[in-house]
Amino acid sequence: MHFDIPKSPKLPERHPVGQPSRNSTSALDVVRKESDHNWTLEEPRIPYELIVAILHLSLPPAYVDDHESPSPDPCPTYSITLYSLRSVCKWWRDVVDGTPFFWKVVCSALPTEVNSAILLKSGQRHLVIHCLLQEPPQHEFLELANRHRHRWGTAAFQIIPAAYAESVASYLAAPAPLLQSLVLSSKAQPPQPVYHLFGGQTQNIRHLNIYGSRIEWLPNAFTGLRRLILAEISQGGLTTQYLLDILASSPSLEILDLSNIEFDPPPIDVRSPPTRFPLLRFLRLGAISAMAVDCILRSLAVEPSVVTRIHLSLSLDEPNFDAARFVTETLPAFSPVLNRLNASCGGSDLRFRFRQNFIWAAGNGAGHSFSFYLPLISLSTYLPWIEQAVGVGVPGVVVRLHFGHFPSTATAVLPVLRPSRIITGMVLNTVLDSWRLDPIFDALSGLETLDGSHTTADAIPSFPALRTIRFTDWMWSLDRIDQALERRFAKRTSMGLNIPDLLVELSYPDTIFWAYGSEGMLSFDTLQRIRAIDGVKDVRVECDSTTKDGMMAVVWCEASSQVVWG
């Protein structure tokens, strides 16, 4: 049997919360369009539970604090999609209307009559309350939601004007006994009120996300958390010990994300016995005191096979912070985690793109990643730990060196990096100053001794595990590359050194010739000379997406009077 089913109303384009898109379709528009459907669809003979499951899978997530892939407007999208499914046919409408747990999202972006209908159809189910406080005032919505606060399961308040902070504070002061997820985000300028949350009855909260808001940190207020996200917290009376107490009482924690927090008073060296967190999969500590980072990490005992993301940023200069002890006593506990992530990401990067910091990072498309933003002055302190975490000689692990916009940092870091056996790849960017690569060329062709002398006794080549070197941009000298590699592999032959063959990659913009004429052309003879070096595995030139693999150039051969491919 064939049915001509009209298309369901088109969903609006996504837009930031509180900023309606052009020609957007509201949930009320969808309701009004239902009167145009005067057709019915015969009920298929499938169980009611199955069609409910199908409709449930057709809905986007309701507003929960989806930390890893947040939606900018989940609540309106959920409601509009629900009304669109409801308008397909009478049977679907009856199923949707007769299933209370579909009706759970109450959002200030929806008209009052729509929210009232949702509350009526939801029965006594838990509710998702999403309130964006901006112009115009949302007092009517707050009053409507407040009458059902005994059913709040998730509550998200986003406050933009400071004038609304006081009114929200009064609504959040009364108990909400079923609340398990709270998002309190404020972009209002200080001064802000201190939120006395739910009369101190917060023990049932499992997801806590506070951004830019001041709350009262009562003793034992938050226990059994599964997600703890704190950002832009200042002058709020949060102490390091209070945070450690929260962690110790939340062994089922899955996400810990702390950034831009000013502890009051400043953190001290607090030593707490570590708590085991078998479910912790996301850890980020950014822009907070290095002393606090040390205390927090020492309190965590994680399961290496569970953690998928770990990100850490340390401040540059902090008095009383013992970096050496941090490396030898705190970080080794996380080496198994980083070893696994490094292997799953196919290697990691050491990036030297800033004057005062370096980054050790890795990531893949499967959601595994890590990054450590560390002071450059302490490179010699952190590198032994990085080598221990990566594991020297592990096949397939690649650590790349990116000397980016500040390649002059090479002079400072090369003495530390040259003897390392984990560096198997190098990426060099000249940024139009080819002379800045001279220290690196010298290192490639030189030897490294354990005592720093220049004798050949017990000498090893610099970067003894290097297998790939990549030159980006175009202002490097092919002759300089040729000389450095010739000397490197000449010493391998004369001294019997055990170093691997090297793959040379040249990333060459195809627009250079048009901009610089013959000055921007590569010398085919020099490329061939580099390729002929005993120890150079291959030379690959990349110009654009149409370049063939392994093709270096097209030249005219006088001997054969024909075009040849390099």
Side-chain angles (χ1 to χ4, degrees), residues 264-522:
D264 185 17
I268 58 175
D269 185 11
V270 179
R271 291 181 176 268
S272 299
T275 302
R276 186 171 178 270
F277 293 87
L279 303 179
L280 188 66
R281 55 186 172 86
F282 183 101
L283 173 62
R284 176 164 57 193
L285 306 176
I288 63 177
S289 164
M291 188 74 75
V293 170
D294 189 16
C295 295
I296 294 169
L297 291 182
R298 281 192 276 113
S299 70
L300 304 177
V302 301
E303 177 58 46
S305 62
V306 175
V307 179
T308 58
R309 297 185 182 183
I310 179 169
H311 305 278
L312 183 147
S313 175
L314 285 185
S315 59
L316 288 175
D317 300 311
E318 184 172 325
N320 304 321
F321 176 67
D322 188 345
R325 194 199 68 178
F326 178 65
V327 170
T328 57
E329 297 182 10
T330 304
L331 290 179
F334 293 85
S335 294
V337 176
L338 296 168
N339 180 273
R340 173 179 170 272
L341 292 177
N342 187 80
S344 67
C345 294
S348 52
D349 292 356
L350 272 175
R351 305 171 188 168
F352 296 90
R353 293 176 174 169
F354 308 100
R355 295 186 184 276
Q356 295 181 311
N357 302 88
F358 74 96
I359 300 174
W360 180 38
N364 63 17
H368 293 181
S369 64
F370 68 82
S371 64
F372 285 75
Y373 188 82
L374 302 169
L376 185 61
I377 195 174
S378 302
L379 175 62
S380 59
T381 303
Y382 288 103
L383 187 60
W385 166 69
I386 294 175
E387 292 178 331
Q388 183 263 334
V390 169
V392 176
V394 177
V397 174
V398 177
V399 176
R400 303 173 182 88
L401 301 176
H402 294 264
F403 293 98
H405 294 289
F406 301 105
S408 58
T409 56
T411 304
V413 304
L414 281 174
V416 180
L417 299 175
R418 285 174 61 168
S420 176
R421 295 183 179 274
I422 65 170
I423 298 176
T424 60
M426 187 180 294
V427 178
L428 306 177
N429 190 316
T430 64
V431 194
L432 305 183
D433 289 329
S434 59
W435 61 269
R436 292 189 177 186
L437 291 177
D438 287 347
I440 301 173
F441 288 135
D442 293 339
L444 284 173
S445 58
L447 298 176
E448 185 69 25
T449 56
L450 297 179
D451 59 1
S453 66
H454 296 283
T455 63
T456 57
D458 300 323
I460 61 173
S462 298
F463 305 106
L466 190 65
R467 298 175 183 273
T468 304
I469 185 167
R470 180 182 180 87
F471 298 88
T472 63
D473 214 313
W474 71 284
M475 289 295 290
W476 22 259
S477 166
L478 281 181
D479 290 329
R480 193 72 176 87
I481 296 173
D482 177 36
Q483 294 168 9
L485 298 183
E486 185 70 49
R487 287 199 300 267
R488 177 179 179 87
F489 290 106
K491 291 178 180 179
R492 179 178 77 167
T493 302
S494 62
M495 301 177 62
L497 301 175
N498 183 23
I499 58 175
D501 289 348
L502 189 63
L503 172 64
V504 180
E505 297 179 345
L506 309 175
S507 179
Y508 192 79
D510 58 353
T511 58
I512 292 300
F513 175 75
W514 304 109
Y516 294 91
S518 60
E519 183 183 348
M521 295 183 67
L522 293 174

Side-chain angles (χ1 to χ4, degrees), residues 193-316:
V194 177
Y195 294 92
H196 305 277
L197 297 177
F198 311 111
Q201 300 181 25
T202 55
Q203 289 77 12
N204 288 334
I205 292 180
R206 295 295 173 260
H207 299 174
L208 180 65
N209 186 337
I210 306 296
Y211 178 93
S213 303
R214 300 172 61 194
I215 70 173
E216 185 179 23
W217 302 99
L218 297 174
N220 302 316
F222 302 103
T223 59
L225 293 178
R226 299 183 72 89
R227 296 186 180 192
L228 176 59
I229 306 169
L230 304 177
E232 303 294 337
I233 307 296
S234 62
Q235 300 179 351
L238 178 61
T239 66
T240 309
Q241 185 59 61
Y242 188 93
L243 179 61
L244 295 178
D245 291 341
I246 293 178
L247 297 179
S249 63
S250 304
S252 297
L253 197 67
E254 299 177 14
I255 291 176
L256 177 60
D257 188 351
L258 310 175
S259 59
N260 292 292
I261 298 176
E262 295 181 11
F263 290 93
D264 185 17
I268 58 175
D269 185 11
V270 179
R271 291 181 176 268
S272 299
T275 302
R276 186 171 178 270
F277 293 87
L279 303 179
L280 188 66
R281 55 186 172 86
F282 183 101
L283 173 62
R284 176 164 57 193
L285 306 176
I288 63 177
S289 164
M291 188 74 75
V293 170
D294 189 16
C295 295
I296 294 169
L297 291 182
R298 281 192 276 113
S299 70
L300 304 177
V302 301
E303 177 58 46
S305 62
V306 175
V307 179
T308 58
R309 297 185 182 183
I310 179 169
H311 305 278
L312 183 147
S313 175
L314 285 185
S315 59
L316 288 175

Side-chain angles (χ1 to χ4, degrees), residues 524-537:
F524 180 74
D525 290 339
T526 308
L527 288 172
Q528 289 289 67
R529 195 164 60 247
I530 295 174
R531 174 180 274 182
I533 295 174
D534 182 17
V536 173
K537 184 178 180 180

Side-chain angles (χ1 to χ4, degrees), residues 46-200:
I46 61 174
Y48 171 82
E49 293 79 5
L50 180 57
I51 188 60
V52 169
I54 293 173
L55 294 175
H56 180 64
L57 293 174
S58 302
L59 290 168
Y63 192 94
V64 294
D65 181 30
D66 192 348
H67 177 258
E68 298 184 38
S69 56
S71 172
D73 55 351
C75 286
T77 300
Y78 177 92
S79 298
I80 292 171
T81 306
L82 180 63
Y83 272 99
S84 297
L85 293 174
R86 184 177 181 270
S87 66
V88 169
C89 64
K90 182 179 183 301
W91 177 47
W92 282 27
R93 179 184 305 177
D94 292 341
V95 172
V96 171
D97 288 350
T99 309
F101 77 80
F102 283 157
W103 305 92
K104 57 186 176 182
V105 176
V106 183
C107 180
S108 61
L110 300 176
T112 301
E113 53 266 44
V114 174
N115 283 322
S116 298
I118 290 173
L119 289 169
L120 181 64
K121 294 176 181 179
S122 63
Q124 293 300 314
R125 296 283 179 173
H126 294 188
L127 298 174
V128 176
I129 305 295
H130 179 217
C131 182
L132 173 65
L133 288 174
Q134 60 178 13
E135 300 294 342
Q138 304 290 339
H139 297 297
E140 184 178 3
F141 173 81
L142 289 173
E143 288 292 341
L144 180 64
N146 189 52
R147 291 196 292 270
H148 297 268
R149 64 182 305 116
H150 61 284
R151 294 199 286 140
W152 289 6
T154 296
F157 291 85
Q158 295 175 276
I159 306 165
I160 296 180
Y164 292 120
E166 290 289 350
S167 60
V168 172
S170 63
Y171 282 103
L172 297 183
L178 300 182
L179 187 68
Q180 292 194 341
S181 298
L182 174 64
V183 180
L184 183 57
S185 174
S186 176
K187 296 183 180 179
Q189 297 296 321
Q192 293 190 40
V194 177
Y195 294 92
H196 305 277
L197 297 177
F198 311 111

